[in-house]
Amino acid sequence: MAQPDEEEGVAAAPGHPPANGYLPVPGGVPAGKMSAESQQGPKAGSLPLNGGPRDSPAAASGAPGRPQTQLAPEEETQVRLLPTGPGEETPGAEGPQGPRTALSARRFVVLLIFSLYSLVNAFQWIQYSIISNVFEGFYGVSSLHIDWLSMVYMLAYVPLIFPATWLLDTRGLRLTALLGSGLNCLGAWVKCGSVQPHLFWVTMLGQSLCSVAQVFILGLPSRIASVWFGPKEVSTACATAVLGNQLGTAVGFLLPPVLVPNTQNNTDLLAGNISTMFYGTSAVATLLFILTIIVFKEKPRHPPSEAQAALQLSPPEQYSYGKSIRNLFKNIPFVLLLITYGIMTGAFYSVSTLLNQLILTYYEGEVNAGRIGLTLVVAGMVGSILCGLWLDHTKTYKQTTLIVYVLSFLGMVIFTFTLDLGYIIVVFFTAGVLGFFMTGYLPLGFEFAVEITYPESEGTSSGLLNAAAQIFGILFTLAQGKLTSDYGPRAGNIFLSAWMFVGIILTALIKSDLRRHNINLGITNGDIKAVPVDSPTDQESKTVMMSKQSESAI
């Protein structure tokens, strides 16, 4: 994990792990073993975080050349989850004890700046698709070419997500934020040089740069929320960060049809309107890049929650990105969530990309398509905030996720069979219902993933969720586009509805294990296995079973 900007130590509060990263063993361990270990290894009655002792001179001097016990993957995860009970004194703690966690006022500014440059990136994703017929005529290309200006965001994400999450986990939040904001700004300026009918490749280059920027943006909401916000506001903060991206999509649905009306008979006027949109986007992106440089810090001086404090006590040299990825793919509930999140978000990407084509099949005017898209996303923004507040209040992650999934499916079915009725007001209403639940699901998936995968990195889990969304988004967009062209919008929408029904079944199978929430409460789910340090007289590994019903608080 990256180190904080200010290396100011904070005394551990009573009942929390000491700074050397070891956790106390309950009183059930024989005193003889503890005294023997105190002469040969780490502090008596202690267990290492992350399944191994901190690689420090102090630890090394206590046990020169002694072999270390290797933990099974499930045991290692459980050891990393060990809390100490509230009010329990830490053995060996001396001196005055200070508060261990605190909230920084800067967190709101960090969240605001991130949300704004995420907004600009999302705006650039959808600005072509919502007026696809206009850009087809201007550049003289097919609708598939314009669709790829949107799908390039999805295509770029898949191969780049692993280096991007590795960078986030090893180099930290600030550098990742600067790359996302900087590439977003650069891509916007490249597009300014593409306002000529023969320069489609330049606009594709600029959009490709923006798509790379997106890789460093989409995985940050859950990381920013966890690193900067307390346990009672973390879900709302994540929803707000996702909200910025959704608002950008909403603005992308609204502004392009207004700024670039269909004036195919006057190419110069059309080029001027496109140029105005591109230069305006570049100016805003530049301002936000400057603010990102000024405002973004790696992390607050003090951790905002017990879960973050426990992670910061873990030795950074023991972190392995590859091992984290393997742990996530061994986590069956996370794999199920990966598929269900990909289906839901991929369907949303497909509907957003093809919305102009769907609406123009039955109703005239790009402005109508833009306003329907705006309704879909704004309703989703409201859904995101309400879902975030609900999670912070109830912590009912699986139940809320499943209910929202079912309602999204019903909204998709209603939208499918009312699209061709000829009443535009009905389409506005059904699109709003669909957006409220479908877009409101996005922060739910992020936060649910963080809960069931703690203490793995939030950036890695959310990055994999987004990668799944991009893969499904590309496949769904191509399939729905083909079905819409050959058989009409209803066929394409039924295709998405069928996949969303599969997602409901898989969501119901996810086991809800709220690890981060339990750590913040100082409790564990059931028994915890820990492996004691070997002593010279007992080289065999022994497992100490520690139950939450034990007389000694864990």
Side-chain angles (χ1 to χ4, degrees), residues 170-465:
T170 58
R171 296 295 181 264
L173 185 62
R174 175 176 166 82
L175 178 60
T176 306
L178 290 175
L179 282 173
S181 183
L183 288 171
N184 192 50
C185 175
L186 179 61
W189 282 108
V190 169
K191 291 186 199 177
C192 294
S194 69
V195 192
Q196 293 291 334
H198 64 284
L199 294 179
F200 177 78
W201 67 273
V202 177
T203 209
M204 177 61 82
L205 175 62
Q207 190 74 339
S208 298
L209 288 171
C210 293
S211 71
V212 175
Q214 177 214 214
V215 181
F216 299 100
I217 293 174
L218 288 187
L220 291 191
S222 57
R223 171 62 69 90
I224 291 174
S226 295
V227 170
W228 283 91
F229 289 82
K232 293 184 178 180
E233 56 191 13
V234 64
S235 296
T236 305
C238 182
T240 304
V242 173
L243 186 72
N245 199 265
Q246 297 171 357
L247 183 58
T249 305
V251 176
F253 280 131
L254 178 65
L255 284 186
V258 176
L259 296 176
V260 188
N262 192 357
T263 57
Q264 299 285 358
N265 56 339
N266 190 336
T267 304
D268 291 338
L269 176 60
L270 182 58
N273 292 333
I274 294 175
S275 182
T276 299
M277 180 172 67
F278 285 167
Y279 274 103
T281 305
S282 302
V284 175
T286 302
L287 173 62
L288 291 173
F289 178 52
I290 294 171
L291 290 175
T292 303
I293 295 173
I294 297 172
V295 168
F296 250 83
K297 299 295 181 184
E298 184 61 41
K299 61 179 69 174
R301 179 179 301 180
H302 308 308
S305 66
E306 300 298 336
Q308 277 299 303
L311 289 178
Q312 291 182 20
L313 288 174
S314 302
E317 60 272 18
Q318 291 187 5
Y319 173 77
S320 168
Y321 177 72
K323 190 172 185 179
S324 178
I325 293 290
R326 290 194 297 271
N327 288 341
L328 289 175
F329 279 107
K330 291 177 183 177
N331 186 328
I332 300 303
F334 176 73
V335 172
L336 291 173
L337 181 61
L338 194 67
I339 298 171
T340 58
Y341 185 91
I343 291 172
M344 176 69 80
T345 312
F348 170 72
Y349 288 163
S350 181
V351 170
S352 299
T353 300
L354 301 173
L355 186 62
N356 180 261
Q357 299 173 39
L358 298 177
I359 300 302
L360 290 182
T361 301
Y362 302 111
Y363 307 94
E364 294 182 357
E366 299 82 7
V367 174
N368 277 332
R371 289 173 179 169
I372 291 171
L374 175 67
T375 302
L376 185 147
V377 177
V378 169
M381 291 162 55
V382 176
S384 293
I385 293 297
L386 292 180
C387 287
L389 292 170
W390 176 256
L391 286 185
D392 277 332
H393 179 68
T394 66
K395 303 300 181 183
T396 53
Y397 289 87
K398 178 179 177 178
Q399 297 92 321
T400 305
T401 301
L402 182 59
I403 291 171
V404 170
Y405 218 118
V406 171
L407 293 175
S408 297
F409 167 74
L410 295 176
M412 189 69 200
V413 171
I414 294 171
F415 177 78
T416 298
F417 290 98
T418 58
L419 183 60
D420 60 350
L421 293 181
Y423 298 100
I424 193 71
I425 189 64
V426 174
V427 179
F428 273 95
F429 175 77
T430 55
V433 172
L434 177 64
F436 182 87
F437 296 111
M438 182 178 278
T439 315
Y441 173 84
L442 304 184
L444 292 178
F446 280 153
E447 284 299 290
F448 195 17
V450 173
E451 288 291 339
I452 63 178
T453 62
Y454 180 88
E456 305 300 341
S457 167
E458 304 92 346
T460 305
S461 61
S462 59
L464 289 175
L465 289 181

Side-chain angles (χ1 to χ4, degrees), residues 475-490:
L475 297 176
F476 285 172
T477 301
L478 293 174
Q480 187 186 12
K482 179 66 173 175
L483 290 171
T484 299
S485 300
D486 294 348
Y487 303 104
R490 176 171 292 186

